[in-house]
Amino acid sequence: MANTHGHKPSVKIGAGAVVCVEAEIRGDVTIGPRTVIHPKARIVAEGGPIVIGECNLIEEQALIINPKVGEKIDKNSGTMTIGSHNVFEVGCRCEALKVGNNNVVEAKALVGRNTELSNGCIIGADCEITSKETLPENTVIFGQSCNRRVQAERPPPQTLQLDFLMKILPNYHHLKKATKPKADK
Amino acid sequence: MAGLLEVDRVNILCPDSGIRLPISRLYFCRHCLKLKSGQCVSHEVDSHYCPNCLENMPSAEAKIKKNRCGNCFDCPSCRHTLSTRATSIAIPNPNDPAKPTTKKAYYLACGFCRWTSRDIGMPDKHIASGAWQVPDNPYVDRMNELLDYYRQLAQREKQERERKRISRRRSYFHLQEKYLSQVSTRRRSGALLSALTNLSVKESEQNQNLSVKGSESVDDVEKLPPEIYNEPVNLASVCTITQRLSQPEYQPHYIKQLYPKHKHLLIKRSQRCRECEHNLSKPEFNPSSIRFKIQLVALHHVPEVRIFSIPNLYFQQESQVTLMLINAVENQTKVTLQPMPSSDHDVATASVTLPGSDLVLAAKDDTAEYDDMNSDYPEFKDDPSLVHFRKANKLAFFVKVTPEKAVGDVIIALKVKYNYRDMAAQFRRTDEDKDQEKEPPIVWLEYECTINLGKLVDK
C-alpha cells in the first residue's frame, strides 16, 4: 500500500464510482468501483486507512470514521474494511472496524467501534449499538429499546437506486476523478 | 404566553361531577345551560374505520368481522402495519417456452422490523390484495358452542326482567305509544314492544333445555421434551411473551408460527348530555376528516380566564397579578368576578381582591385581525387602575393577591358570572310565547375557577 509520492496519503477511487466533490474524504481511503457517495457525506480516516468495497451507497451526512484512539496509529489492525452492497443512510455514523456485505445502517444510527457487522445486518433508525460483539448474519436491530430479531434472508440489494443515482448525480454535481488502481501486494 | 401551553393552571369546577378541569376539556350543553365534563356525558360509538386504509365500515359488518379490517394486516413481530411489496419474477411462458414472461409476485413486509411473509414460509401471491389467508382457529367449534349458550342465557334473563317490568306497568303501555316524541321513551317502549311479542309467541321455548358440556379435566399431561433440559434456548427463534399473547388462539412458541393478523378497527365516538339527551360532540362520518358536525365545547361558549403576567410572589405580601378574560361569543358580554365563600374544602391558598365593578368584553369578531387596529376603544370607559389593556375580544385586568400559605403553590379561587344569550331557548318555548318574544333571553351563568399562580419566592 506504499504511496510513491510520500507526503500525503491519498484517496483512491475505483472505476465507475460516483463520488461528489462536496463529499469530505480525509486520510487514506480506498473506494471500490460502482460505489455512490452523496455530497456532504464524510469519510474520515484519521486513526488508520479505510477500504470501501463496491456497489455501496453512502448518503448525505453519513460519517464513516476510523477514529484516532490515543496517540498510536497502528497501520495493521487499524484498517477499517467495508464490504460491498452496503447502504449507509442519511446521518448515520459508523466506526466499526469490519463491515461485511449487504448491510444497511439506517438513518441516524450509530455503530460503535467494538461492534462488527457480518452480512445482511440491518441497524434500524436511531439505534445505537456499541457492544463488543460480531452481529450474527441477518440480524435486525429495531425499536427504541434496540430489540433484535433474525431475518430469514438478507435485505435486497439496492441496484435500482444505484443505477438511478449514477445517472442523475453527474447532472447536478461535479465528481471526483477516478484514480488508476494500484496493484495489491 | 406560556399560559397557552400550561392548560391546567386555570381549572374550572364541573358542577355535576365535582372534578376540576381546564376549559379545553369541558363541554357546554346549550339546552341545560351547564358545563359538562367527560364523566357527565354518555359516550357512544359513532362509526368504525380502519386506521390504515381509512375505510368506513357499518357496525353490523364490523360485528361480523370481529372489528377487524378485511384488507390490512398487522406485523406479528412488532404490531405495526404491514405493506404489500411486489417483485417481478420470470416464469416460462406456457405458449412460448423460449421467452420467459415477467409476472409480479406480492409479499407482505413490515417497514419497521423488516419482517416479511416469506419468513414463515407463506408463498408469494399473484394478486395484490385479498389473497392472504389467516389460519383457522382450532377451537372455533367449542367457542361458538359456549357463546351460543351464554347468548341464550342472557336472552332469557332479559325476558324475565321485561316481564317483571310490564306486569307492573301494563296500564300505561297504550299511553306511551301515543306520545312517542322523545328519545328516551322511544327506547323504553321499544323494549316493551319486543318483550310483549316474545312472550306471546314463544312460551314453549322458555322451558327449553339450556345446557352445555362443561370442560373436562385431563389427568395425564404431555411431558416436556427432554431438549429443554439439555439444549440452550435459541433466543432468535422463540417468540416473546407479547408476541405470543397477541395471538391468543394459537399461542405459538416459535416465530416461524407467527401469522399476521387483520388490523383492528378504531371508532369515532359521539358524546351526549345525560340530562337532556342532546348531542354535545358528533364527528364527521368521513374517517379522514377531523372536523365535527356538532362541537359544543366550553371554549366556544364560555368566557375564558387566562394568566397574563405574574410578578414575584412573597408570603403575606400583596402583589398585583394580571389576568386576561377572553370572550368566546359574538356579542358583548358582561363579566362579574366574585370571591368564593370559604368552606371546608378550600383549595385556595391565597386571598384575592377582585375588581368590584362589571367588566365588559367586546364581541368576538373574526375579521378583526384584518382591520387596522386603533387600540383605544372609546365606547368602553375603562378604569386605568383596573384595566391593563384591551384588544379585540380580550381584556387584561389587575387583581391583588396575598399568599397566605408559606409552602406550596399559590392558588386563588373565584367565581365568574357572565351573561349568556340563550339561543337554544326558542326550542323550549310553547306556541303562545313564540309570537311575543323575538329576542333570545339573556341569562346569567356562573362557574367556579381556581388559578394556580406558581411557587412563592423567598425573600
Side-chain angles (χ1 to χ4, degrees):
Chain A
M1 288 262 282
N3 194 345
T4 52
H5 292 281
H7 37 99
K8 235 167 48 168
S10 61
V11 176
K12 298 180 245 330
I13 302 179
V18 175
V19 182
C20 299
V21 160
E22 293 91 343
E24 176 191 328
I25 307 186
R26 276 194 281 145
D28 189 356
V29 178
T30 311
I31 299 175
R34 291 198 304 279
T35 298
V36 176
I37 301 191
H38 283 232
K40 291 297 176 201
R42 295 169 59 204
I43 307 181
V44 177
E46 19 171 62
I50 299 182
V51 177
I52 301 180
E54 55 180 37
C55 294
N56 293 302
L57 177 56
I58 302 173
E59 296 192 352
E60 286 85 348
Q61 300 198 355
L63 173 61
I64 300 182
I65 181 166
N66 194 347
K68 211 191 284 196
V69 180
E71 281 304 315
K72 295 183 288 182
I73 301 177
D74 196 351
K75 273 260 171 180
N76 292 332
S77 63
T79 309
M80 179 191 260
T81 20
I82 297 179
S84 52
H85 295 280
N86 296 303
V87 177
F88 293 90
E89 287 192 14
V90 175
C92 70
R93 185 188 166 103
C94 178
E95 297 174 14
L97 273 180
K98 255 210 239 137
V99 177
N101 306 323
N102 290 92
N103 299 301
V104 177
V105 183
E106 284 189 11
K108 295 234 182 222
L110 172 81
V111 183
R113 178 92 181 159
N114 301 323
T115 327
E116 285 177 9
L117 300 178
S118 56
N119 302 321
C121 300
I122 301 185
I123 316 289
D126 207 26
C127 290
E128 293 183 2
I129 171 147
T130 48
S131 49
K132 183 168 166 41
E133 62 171 316
T134 307
L135 283 180
E137 295 217 354
N138 294 341
T139 309
V140 180
I141 300 191
F142 65 98
Q144 201 176 19
S145 34
C146 292
N147 309 321
R148 291 191 188 195
R149 51 173 290 274
V150 176
Q151 272 178 306
E153 54 184 23
R154 54 162 213 243
Q158 304 274 12
T159 35
L160 222 61
Q161 174 83 338
L162 280 170
D163 289 336
F164 176 74
L165 285 171
M166 286 203 266
K167 266 188 273 181
I168 294 285
L169 273 178
N171 292 343
Y172 297 97
H173 296 276
H174 293 290
L175 304 175
K176 293 200 180 159
K177 283 206 188 313
T179 55
K180 284 218 187 77
K182 292 213 179 292
D184 280 334
K185 269 189 277 194
Chain B
M1 286 287 278
L4 279 174
L5 297 173
E6 296 173 346
V7 281
D8 47 353
R9 285 256 186 148
V10 179
N11 286 337
I12 299 180
L13 175 73
C14 169
D16 290 328
S17 53
I19 49 179
R20 289 179 190 274
L21 288 171
I23 192 172
S24 47
R25 305 263 301 270
L26 289 170
Y27 301 93
F28 180 75
C29 182
R30 273 197 312 187
H31 302 269
C32 317
L33 294 177
K34 277 209 274 192
L35 287 166
K36 303 270 171 195
S37 69
Q39 291 186 3
C40 318
V41 298
S42 57
H43 303 251
E44 297 163 357
V45 170
D46 203 55
S47 58
H48 299 266
Y49 68 99
C50 170
N52 187 35
C53 56
L54 291 179
E55 178 202 342
N56 222 310
M57 219 185 262
S59 315
E61 194 186 332
K63 208 165 156 193
I64 294 175
K65 288 195 179 170
K66 304 226 172 30
N67 290 339
R68 306 249 166 194
C69 177
N71 306 328
C72 309
F73 288 90
D74 272 345
C75 172
S77 142
C78 64
R79 283 172 297 138
H80 276 67
T81 314
L82 288 175
S83 50
T84 312
R85 301 231 181 110
T87 58
S88 33
I89 52 170
I91 53 164
N93 195 339
N95 300 335
D96 192 354
K99 263 195 292 192
T101 52
T102 52
K103 256 180 90 168
K104 281 207 184 282
Y106 299 95
Y107 62 97
L108 293 172
C110 172
F112 189 58
C113 68
R114 309 267 179 153
W115 180 93
T116 61
S117 57
R118 293 174 179 162
D119 282 357
I120 49 173
M122 276 168 83
D124 299 347
K125 307 280 183 229
H126 295 289
I127 49 175
S129 61
W132 298 101
Q133 295 296 334
V134 179
D136 292 325
N137 185 352
Y139 304 107
V140 70
D141 294 328
R142 173 79 177 146
M143 289 294 297
N144 282 339
E145 213 183 295
L146 285 170
L147 279 173
D148 281 336
Y149 170 63
Y150 280 109
R151 212 174 284 145
Q152 283 173 4
L153 252 182
Q155 184 84 338
R156 197 202 268 186
E157 282 184 12
K158 200 168 83 159
Q159 283 172 12
E160 284 180 7
R161 235 184 301 140
E162 291 298 329
R163 220 182 326 154
K164 268 193 247 157
R165 271 216 321 198
I166 60 161
S167 61
R168 275 185 266 133
R169 291 213 216 155
R170 205 177 269 269
S171 49
Y172 297 110
F173 175 59
H174 55 284
L175 277 176
Q176 276 185 334
E177 212 182 16
K178 257 201 249 177
Y179 300 126
L180 270 179
S181 52
Q182 279 197 342
V183 177
S184 42
T185 49
R186 201 190 300 143
R187 279 202 217 125
R188 261 184 273 134
S189 57
L192 281 170
L193 277 171
S194 68
L196 274 188
T197 50
N198 277 346
L199 270 186
S200 57
V201 177
K202 298 191 177 153
E203 279 290 340
S204 56
E205 273 194 24
Q206 297 284 327
N207 307 326
Q208 197 182 42
N209 209 1
L210 276 186
S211 71
V212 78
K213 210 169 53 164
S215 311
E216 292 166 4
S217 61
V218 180
D219 266 338
D220 54 332
V221 181
E222 213 179 276
K223 286 208 173 29
L224 286 173
E227 289 91 52
I228 287 197
Y229 302 107
N230 300 339
E231 291 172 9
V233 175
N234 183 4
L235 279 176
S237 67
V238 171
C239 296
T240 67
I241 291 191
T242 326
Q243 285 167 352
R244 211 171 139 181
L245 294 179
S246 67
Q247 312 215 338
E249 304 108 342
Y250 329 105
Q251 294 195 21
H253 291 273
Y254 301 107
I255 55 175
K256 281 207 223 355
Q257 301 161 329
L258 276 177
Y259 278 86
K261 300 196 83 175
H262 283 279
K263 204 162 181 60
H264 218 92
L265 296 176
L266 295 180
I267 58 163
K268 285 209 173 204
R269 79 173 166 182
S270 67
Q271 286 160 321
R272 198 184 279 275
C273 171
R274 283 206 187 130
E275 283 175 32
C276 61
E277 310 267 351
H278 280 98
N279 254 322
L280 291 177
S281 158
K282 196 170 164 75
E284 277 191 11
F285 186 68
N286 187 3
S288 56
S289 159
I290 57 169
R291 290 200 252 163
F292 289 86
K293 278 192 210 152
I294 302 175
Q295 193 183 22
L296 289 175
V297 286
L299 259 181
H300 293 166
H301 294 269
V302 162
E304 185 190 348
V305 178
R306 273 192 212 165
I307 305 175
F308 185 68
S309 79
I310 315 175
N312 285 337
L313 295 164
Y314 300 105
F315 179 51
Q316 281 177 345
Q317 236 185 26
E318 194 179 69
S319 350
Q320 196 180 64
V321 172
T322 319
L323 298 176
M324 192 149 93
L325 267 173
I326 300 163
N327 191 6
V329 292
E330 288 172 355
N331 49 283
Q332 230 180 53
T333 312
K334 280 208 205 59
V335 179
T336 314
L337 301 169
Q338 286 178 350
M340 285 277 293
S342 59
S343 61
D344 292 331
H345 316 281
D346 230 356
V347 206
T349 62
S351 65
V352 58
T353 317
L354 296 163
S357 54
D358 285 0
L359 299 163
V360 183
L361 296 173
K364 176 173 168 180
D365 187 9
D366 287 328
T367 63
E369 52 183 305
Y370 304 112
D371 292 336
D372 289 330
M373 298 309 306
N374 47 343
S375 20
D376 50 311
Y377 294 79
E379 62 262 24
F380 304 110
K381 296 178 201 50
D382 292 328
D383 182 2
S385 66
L386 179 61
V387 168
H388 188 40
F389 70 88
R390 178 190 287 275
K391 187 172 177 189
N393 59 332
K394 303 183 193 171
L395 176 71
F397 59 98
F398 302 116
V399 290
K400 299 216 186 342
V401 173
T402 314
E404 313 242 304
K405 257 201 196 161
V407 288
D409 291 340
V410 178
I411 301 178
I412 56 176
L414 39 95
K415 218 192 287 202
V416 178
K417 270 202 168 112
Y418 58 100
N419 62 341
Y420 178 73
R421 205 161 74 170
D422 189 358
M423 308 293 270
Q426 45 187 319
F427 300 112
R428 280 183 254 120
R429 275 181 295 196
T430 57
D431 292 304
E432 299 99 51
D433 293 338
K434 224 178 238 188
D435 305 318
Q436 298 175 356
E437 294 257 350
K438 284 285 165 78
E439 274 288 313
I442 298 190
V443 288
W444 279 86
L445 301 170
E446 63 176 32
Y447 63 83
E448 299 171 13
C449 117
T450 55
I451 305 177
N452 185 340
L453 296 172
K455 297 215 175 314
L456 287 167
V457 172
D458 292 330
K459 258 189 251 208

